[in-house]
């Protein structure tokens, strides 16, 4: 027992990984990068109207407390002293928008999630005010005007929620993405909480100038956002404040531990995959799917539908690094949809078993454009379709088609990345919860026709946040020098089909994508009126498909 305890002594670093689907707290050994323990809690998503996606900020915060508490209990059972936790990093779902009362600590509305589409008419009216020859929003932020980013969500809250308007008038309102809400709450909340964000999260608001690394007055005026409610922008690796234990948290030993790392989840995964060199890239499979390529200290603007974003700034006096990003809205979310909405599976893990039974989609294609299409199309009028169905199709084929959809969407953003960078990637580094699905990983290698490389420890998002926290000035327990970074064991998936078959499948997918576009008008998406044909969540194709498959025998795979 003593030997086992000794093996894990030394500085430990915790990481809060607050994602769209779940919250986790993980603890790493800072010298070996070994994951020692973790706990995970699923987060509810609310869909009050068609296209609206919300979460309860208090539920998010309580899930963080629960994960910290349970992880500390598990460490105790392993005879690991939690007083060795020297720092905590935060990684979070980006863009999701929270406004709260700084005097009471109470949220003034639900968090408006990055997937939410309610702001489409706002986007359309704002886009008319941008001169065609001077897209100052894109040149300053690296982002297209889209429902995806925080500025338009905040504008909607200011226009439509009286509690938010009143709090702004009375100088009580604070805005932040999820990282800001968590850091403010964990460092004392209404009793002296620190209101800050980091450069990576700020770069996703559409209010932040990615060149000057400051909130931009012209952008705030354009979106009519009062600058007094915005958080202070800090680097991704510095001490923001110290943990103050809430009455909700029994793990008192974390009192006074510095919170010293903060990265948006995709930047955290880039750091956790150690993509520190210009041209290194990773793809994360979570609720959505996000391919980031480090472009070094220069902003590269895409000609093919990708975003320019801040990758990281690992210290107050360290240089900022940039990335090109391909964003796919729906990846793991399609599996959750098959589980929660159609009941085809009872657990997310079952999808692999179903897909394995048939080993093919049998000509069935699934375009899960639940929130329109993100990169490379940026087409908000798209909606999900399932097409190519016959009476032979059953739930196994649909499950396989759902996994293929994730891979085809990745192929589209990888193709765009290769065109922008000029040098095709020779392999793809991957991470995220879905990478545990071996069928998905093999499909991805087949569809990209390059090897897919997966670290044996897939929690790279949390690892990146822990690395940033442990490396912060004043903490200094984690070295980011190349010679000190731990070697990572990898699992490799090689393409197993011929290139011609891969291309045929991909071109058929592209046909399906074209058919998914143009389903929704602004009026139908904003009204949420279920009688409007084109605003059905999956459009016409799934309705007609289900007529064909209505007998439970087909959906259940019976003959």
């Amino acid at each position: 027992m003593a030997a086992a305890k000794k093996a894990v002594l030394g500085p430990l670093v915790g990481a809060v990984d607050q994602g769209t689907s779940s919250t986790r707290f993980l603890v790493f050994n800072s010298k070996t990068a070994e994951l020692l323990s973790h706990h995970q809690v699923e987060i509810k998503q609310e869909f009050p109207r068609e296209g609206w996606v919300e979460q309860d900020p208090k539920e998010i915060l309580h899930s963080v407390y629960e994960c910290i508490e349970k992880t500390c209990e598990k460490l105790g059972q392993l005879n690991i002293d939690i007083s060795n936790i020297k720092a905590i990093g935060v990684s979070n779902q980006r863009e999701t928008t929270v406004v709260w009362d700084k005097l009471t600590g109470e949220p003034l509305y639900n968090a408006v999630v990055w997937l939410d589409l309610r702001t489409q008419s706002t986007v359309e009216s704002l886009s008319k005010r941008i001169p065609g020859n001077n897209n100052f929003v894109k040149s300053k932020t690296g982002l297209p005007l889209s429902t995806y980013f925080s500025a338009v969500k905040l504008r909607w809250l200011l226009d439509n929620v009286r509690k938010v308007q009143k709090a702004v008038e009375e100088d009580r309102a604070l805005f932040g993405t999820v990282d800001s809400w968590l850091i403010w709450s964990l460092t004392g909340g209404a009793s002296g909480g620190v209101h800050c964000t980091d450069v990576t999260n700020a770069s996703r608001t559409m209010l932040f100038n990615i060149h000057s690394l400051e909130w931009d007055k012209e952008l705030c005026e354009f979106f009519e956002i009062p600058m007094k409610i915005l958080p202070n922008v800090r680097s991704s690796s510095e001490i923001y404040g110290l943990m103050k234990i809430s009455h909700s948290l029994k793990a008192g030993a974390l009192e006074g531990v510095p919170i010293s790392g903060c990265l948006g989840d995709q930047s955290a995964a880039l750091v956790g995959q150690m993509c520190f060199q210009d041209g290194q890239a990773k793809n994360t499979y979570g609720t959505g799917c996000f391919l980031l390529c480090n472009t070094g200290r220069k902003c590269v603007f895409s000609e093919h539908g990708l975003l320019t974003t801040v990758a990281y700034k690992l210290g107050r006096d360290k240089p900022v690094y940039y990335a090109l990003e391909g964003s796919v809205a729906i990846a793991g979310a399609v599996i959750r949809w098959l589980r929660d909405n159609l009941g085809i599976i009872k657990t997310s893990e079952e999808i692999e078993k179903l897909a394995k039974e048939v080993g093919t989609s049998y000509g069935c294609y699934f375009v899960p454009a639940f929130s329109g299409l993100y990169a490379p199309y940026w087409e908000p009028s798209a909606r999900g379709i399932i097409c190519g169905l016959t009476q032979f199709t059953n739930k196994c084929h649909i499950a396989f088609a759902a996994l293929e959809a994730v891979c085809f969407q990745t192929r589209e953003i990888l193709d765009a990345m290769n065109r922008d960078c000029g040098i095709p990637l020779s392999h793809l580094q991957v991470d995220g919860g879905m990478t545990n699905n071996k069928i998905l990983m093999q499909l991805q290698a087949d569809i990209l026709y390059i090897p897919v490389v997966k670290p044996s420890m897939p929690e790279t998002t949390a690892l990146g946040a822990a690395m940033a926290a442990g490396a912060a000035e004043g903490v200094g327990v984690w070295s980011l020098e190349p010679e000190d970074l731990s070697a990572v064991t990898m699992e490799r998936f090689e393409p197993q089909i011929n290139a011609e078959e891969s291309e045929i499948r991909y071109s058929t997918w592209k046909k399906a994508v074209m058919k998914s576009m143009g389903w929704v008008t602004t009026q139908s998406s904003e009204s949420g009126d279920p009688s409007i044909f084109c605003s059905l969540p999956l459009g016409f194709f799934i309705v007609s498909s289900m007529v064909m498959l209505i007998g439970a025998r087909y959906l259940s795979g019976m003959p």
Side-chain angles (χ1 to χ4, degrees), residues 484-498:
D484 296 328
L485 294 172
S486 307
V488 179
T489 54
M490 297 283 193
E491 187 175 359
R492 193 175 174 95
F493 296 83
E494 299 282 349
Q496 291 182 354
I497 63 173
N498 64 52

Side-chain angles (χ1 to χ4, degrees), residues 471-485:
E473 186 180 343
V475 178
V477 299
W478 203 310
S479 170
L480 298 183
E481 295 303 318
E483 63 272 17
D484 296 328
L485 294 172

Side-chain angles (χ1 to χ4, degrees), residues 370-382:
F370 301 159
S371 293
L373 289 167
Y374 283 12
Y377 302 101
W378 298 104
E379 182 47 74
S381 73

Side-chain angles (χ1 to χ4, degrees), residues 203-432:
S203 76
R204 312 297 293 192
T205 61
M206 241 174 4
L207 300 170
F208 185 72
N209 188 313
I210 61 174
H211 311 286
S212 67
L213 303 183
E214 294 173 331
W215 298 122
D216 190 282
K217 192 166 183 290
E218 185 185 13
L219 289 169
C220 290
E221 285 172 357
F222 177 71
F223 291 106
E224 298 178 78
I225 303 297
M227 294 183 80
K228 65 183 180 180
I229 70 173
L230 303 178
N232 292 320
V233 183
R234 314 274 285 270
S235 77
S236 310
S237 178
E238 61 178 273
I239 295 174
Y240 312 113
L242 307 181
M243 282 283 285
K244 287 189 181 168
I245 301 307
S246 155
H247 60 84
S248 308
L249 189 61
K250 296 175 194 164
L254 297 188
E255 178 90 35
V257 174
I259 299 176
S260 52
C262 179
L263 290 152
D265 51 9
Q266 303 315 317
S267 289
L270 196 73
V271 170
Q273 286 265 32
M274 298 172 209
C275 294
F276 294 125
Q277 302 301 313
D278 191 340
Q280 286 187 300
K282 66 88 209 172
N283 197 38
T284 300
Y285 299 77
T287 298
C289 203
F290 302 89
L291 177 63
L292 266 71
C293 180
N294 189 330
T295 62
R297 299 187 197 183
K298 60 185 183 296
C299 279
V300 175
F301 283 86
S302 173
E303 300 293 322
H304 300 97
L306 303 180
L307 311 177
T308 304
T309 198
V310 174
Y312 51 81
K313 185 180 189 292
L314 294 174
R316 219 176 304 197
D317 303 319
K318 297 287 172 68
V320 65
Y321 282 75
Y322 295 94
L324 274 175
E325 175 176 327
S327 318
V328 169
I330 303 293
V334 75
I335 312 305
R336 189 167 174 163
W337 184 85
L338 289 175
R339 183 192 74 185
D340 297 346
N341 292 40
L342 287 198
I344 279 178
I345 50 176
K346 288 194 175 67
T347 67
S348 297
E349 292 71 33
E350 275 180 51
I351 192 93
E352 186 171 10
K353 181 168 166 278
L354 283 187
K356 195 172 183 179
E357 279 182 37
V358 286
T360 174
S361 65
Y362 206 79
C364 169
Y365 286 81
F366 191 164
V367 183
F370 301 159
S371 293
L373 289 167
Y374 283 12
Y377 302 101
W378 298 104
E379 182 47 74
S381 73
R383 283 296 179 273
I385 64 170
I386 301 177
C387 53
L389 297 166
T390 69
Q391 284 187 307
F392 181 73
T393 309
N394 63 36
K395 67 177 181 180
C396 298
H397 300 112
I398 292 172
F400 196 96
L403 294 182
E404 273 192 323
V406 175
C407 301
F408 285 131
Q409 290 179 105
T410 298
R411 166 78 187 266
E412 290 187 310
I413 54 178
L414 185 74
D415 283 359
M417 190 80 73
N418 287 340
R419 288 197 294 273
D420 276 324
C421 295
I423 304 165
L425 290 176
S426 58
H427 66 277
L428 182 66
Q429 288 177 233
V430 300
D431 59 79

